[in-house]
Amino acid sequence: MLKQLFHKAFSISLALIVLFSTVSFTIEKHYCGDVLVDVSVFAEAEKCGMEAMELAQKKSCCKDEIDIVEGQDELKISSFEDLEFKHQQFLSALIYSYINGFESLPKQTIPHKDYSPPNLVANIQILDQVFII
């Protein structure tokens, strides 16, 4: 039970690692002067409303920062044939010994399994008054 739980948790965590390593997203930040006004992960960051004043002054106090987090585009898929011969040999021996380590013992036959003892008519020790002390 516990082994199955650990196996499922480990499988799910590896799947999530692969998923998140391939996801790309952008982080947009809008600064008004030196003050951070808005941060947005998937949408465009909201402006502070100073754009109208900037057109009149022709001087910009606002700035936008865009950070792009790119995921991995190609996943490396290796096959058994890509390994060196000594690594292939070691892996084959490891798998063979692991699988054969769990072979079951031969089924033992019990010759007296179906034997039923005879019914006791009388207790002989009490009849003969012989007791082991």
Side-chain angles (χ1 to χ4, degrees), residues 55-99:
L55 292 174
Q57 295 177 356
K58 296 182 182 178
K59 188 176 181 184
S60 176
C61 70
C62 297
K63 66 178 181 179
D64 292 323
E65 261 186 36
I66 299 174
D67 296 329
I68 300 173
V69 179
E70 292 188 16
Q72 192 175 11
D73 288 338
E74 297 177 9
L75 294 176
K76 181 181 178 186
I77 299 174
S78 305
S79 66
F80 185 73
E81 288 78 23
D82 294 341
L83 296 174
E84 294 178 15
F85 179 70
K86 62 181 181 178
H87 294 139
Q88 287 179 357
Q89 191 176 18
F90 173 75
L91 193 59
S92 298
L94 179 70
I95 290 171
Y96 179 77
S97 64
Y98 183 77
I99 289 173

Side-chain angles (χ1 to χ4, degrees), residues 7 21 24 32 44 55 60 79 82 92-93 110 113 115 126:
H7 180 72
S21 69
S24 300
C32 190
E44 188 174 330
L55 292 174
S60 176
S79 66
D82 294 341
S92 298
I110 302 172
K113 181 177 83 171
Y115 172 75
I126 294 179

Side-chain angles (χ1 to χ4, degrees), residues 3-122:
K3 182 179 176 183
Q4 290 175 347
L5 182 68
F6 281 132
H7 180 72
K8 287 181 182 180
F10 187 68
S11 299
I12 289 171
S13 63
L14 284 179
L16 290 176
I17 288 172
V18 169
L19 175 69
F20 289 128
S21 69
T22 58
V23 171
S24 300
F25 58 94
T26 60
I27 301 173
E28 291 192 24
K29 299 175 188 174
H30 180 76
Y31 289 95
C32 190
D34 290 334
V35 178
L36 178 64
V37 176
D38 190 30
V39 176
S40 178
V41 177
F42 293 110
E44 188 174 330
E46 291 184 20
K47 309 295 182 197
C48 59
M50 298 292 287
E51 287 83 19
M53 296 176 77
E54 290 175 7
L55 292 174
Q57 295 177 356
K58 296 182 182 178
K59 188 176 181 184
S60 176
C61 70
C62 297
K63 66 178 181 179
D64 292 323
E65 261 186 36
I66 299 174
D67 296 329
I68 300 173
V69 179
E70 292 188 16
Q72 192 175 11
D73 288 338
E74 297 177 9
L75 294 176
K76 181 181 178 186
I77 299 174
S78 305
S79 66
F80 185 73
E81 288 78 23
D82 294 341
L83 296 174
E84 294 178 15
F85 179 70
K86 62 181 181 178
H87 294 139
Q88 287 179 357
Q89 191 176 18
F90 173 75
L91 193 59
S92 298
L94 179 70
I95 290 171
Y96 179 77
S97 64
Y98 183 77
I99 289 173
N100 289 336
F102 293 107
E103 285 184 355
S104 63
L105 295 173
K107 190 170 184 177
Q108 296 178 350
T109 58
I110 302 172
H112 56 277
K113 181 177 83 171
D114 296 325
Y115 172 75
S116 61
N119 294 331
L120 289 177
V121 178

